[in-house]
Each structure stands twice: as structure tokens, then as C-alpha cells.
């Protein structure tokens, strides 16, 4: 199971991975400072990655932000799959498999800490499956 904690994930390593002549950013890491910003990020991700017959997989989503997004936009969110690691054993290998299969247009991971090697594995899996991997680090969320 991947570690859930408040450690920062190195942005330098993602920059290094992205420098490999790719026109698409397969792995992105974003810091979120408040609930409104998180709701906005969820909405942007949904608008950008909502593709027919593809899922958006959200691991440990902040449910209040998802509900706010649903209430604001009044769209159908039937293609969002939510997984909480406190209910299901979510391991790095499972995330890599989801990325490689290509059934998802995006995999969003909330508040997870990965080593440099794990980030490289996620990047490689995302590229192989043509699936965007987005890590959202929710700093102290302020309502």
C-alpha cells in the first residue's frame, strides 16, 4: 500500500521526467491550499479528461469538494470512480496497472507520498497507457 502522509513530493524529479522530449505531461503534481482550489482543480480535471467510455479514477478524493463541483456544474459524474484507501488496499502496483490499461483518461491521487523511483514508475505507466496521472497535495484545507 502506498504511504499517505504530508511529505512533499519532489517537483524537481517530475520536471526531469518531463524533459524527455514528450509533448504531453503524463505526470503532474499540484499543491492545493484550500477547499475552493481543490473543487476548482477537480472541475478542471473533469472538463479536460471527461471522455466517452473512459473513467476518471480518483484515489482518496475529498468528497466535499467533489460534491460542491457536482452541485455547481450540474453535470453527470457517472464516469468518476472513487476509491478510498481506508476501505480498499490500494498499492502502487494497482495504480500502475490502472494507468497502463488505458481504461481511464486520468488517475487522480490525493495526498500520497512517493519516492523518486515510484514517481518514475507512475510516469512510465501513465505514458504506456496514455493516461494522465495527477497527484494533488492538499495542504491544510480551509473551509
Amino acid at each position: 500500500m502506498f504511504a499517505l502522509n504530508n511529505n512533499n513530493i519532489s517537483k524537481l524529479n517530475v520536471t526531469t521526467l518531463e524533459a524527455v522530449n514528450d509533448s504531453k505531461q503524463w505526470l503532474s503534481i499540484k499543491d492545493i491550499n484550500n477547499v475552493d482550489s481543490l473543487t476548482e482543480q477537480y472541475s478542471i480535471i473533469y472538463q479536460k479528461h471527461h471522455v466517452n467510455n473512459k473513467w476518471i479514477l480518483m484515489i482518496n478524493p475529498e468528497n466535499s469538494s467533489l460534491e460542491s463541483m457536482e452541485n455547481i456544474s450540474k453535470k453527470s459524474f457517472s464516469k468518476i470512480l472513487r476509491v478510498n484507501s481506508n476501505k480498499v488496499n490500494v498499492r502502487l502496483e494497482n495504480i500502475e496497472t490502472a494507468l497502463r490499461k488505458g481504461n481511464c483518461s486520468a488517475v487522480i491521487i490525493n495526498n500520497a507520498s512517493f519516492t523518486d523511483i515510484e514517481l518514475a514508475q507512475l510516469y512510465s505507466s501513465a505514458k504506456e497507457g496514455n493516461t494522465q496521472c495527477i497527484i494533488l497535495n492538499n495542504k491544510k484545507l480551509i473551509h
Side-chain angles (χ1 to χ4, degrees):
M1 178 153 79
F2 66 90
L4 292 175
N5 60 40
N6 292 325
N7 293 338
N8 288 333
I9 299 171
S10 171
K11 291 183 180 183
L12 176 63
N13 295 313
V14 174
T15 303
T16 302
L17 289 170
E18 292 304 330
V20 185
N21 293 331
D22 277 335
S23 61
K24 185 167 183 174
Q25 186 177 2
W26 296 106
L27 176 66
S28 61
I29 300 171
K30 299 177 185 195
D31 292 331
I32 306 299
N33 295 317
N34 59 54
V35 173
D36 292 334
S37 294
L38 183 59
T39 302
E40 181 181 346
Q41 277 301 312
Y42 283 162
S43 183
I44 291 167
I45 290 166
Y46 181 80
Q47 289 171 15
K48 185 175 181 181
H49 296 287
H50 177 68
V51 178
N52 290 338
N53 300 322
K54 291 235 180 186
W55 291 92
I56 296 175
L57 174 60
M58 298 188 125
I59 300 172
N60 294 322
E62 177 65 38
N63 288 325
S64 63
S65 289
L66 272 177
E67 290 166 6
S68 293
M69 181 182 80
E70 291 172 2
N71 291 335
I72 292 168
S73 61
K74 305 291 184 203
K75 291 183 180 179
S76 170
F77 294 93
S78 61
K79 288 300 220 178
I80 293 178
L81 179 60
R82 302 175 197 187
V83 176
N84 289 303
S85 65
N86 63 347
K87 296 180 181 177
V88 177
N89 186 13
V90 179
R91 299 183 328 207
L92 179 65
E93 294 81 19
N94 300 108
I95 298 170
E96 288 178 274
T97 299
L99 288 166
R100 277 193 307 272
K101 281 187 175 183
N103 294 330
C104 298
S105 58
V107 173
I108 294 84
I109 308 164
N110 285 285
N111 292 329
S113 177
F114 296 102
T115 66
D116 294 345
I117 293 169
E118 291 169 334
L119 285 172
Q121 289 171 269
L122 289 172
Y123 175 86
S124 177
S125 297
K127 183 176 179 179
E128 182 181 330
N130 194 29
T131 305
Q132 178 71 42
C133 182
I134 302 165
I135 300 170
L136 299 176
N137 290 322
N138 307 343
K139 302 299 175 190
K140 192 182 242 183
L141 290 182
I142 304 166
H143 291 272

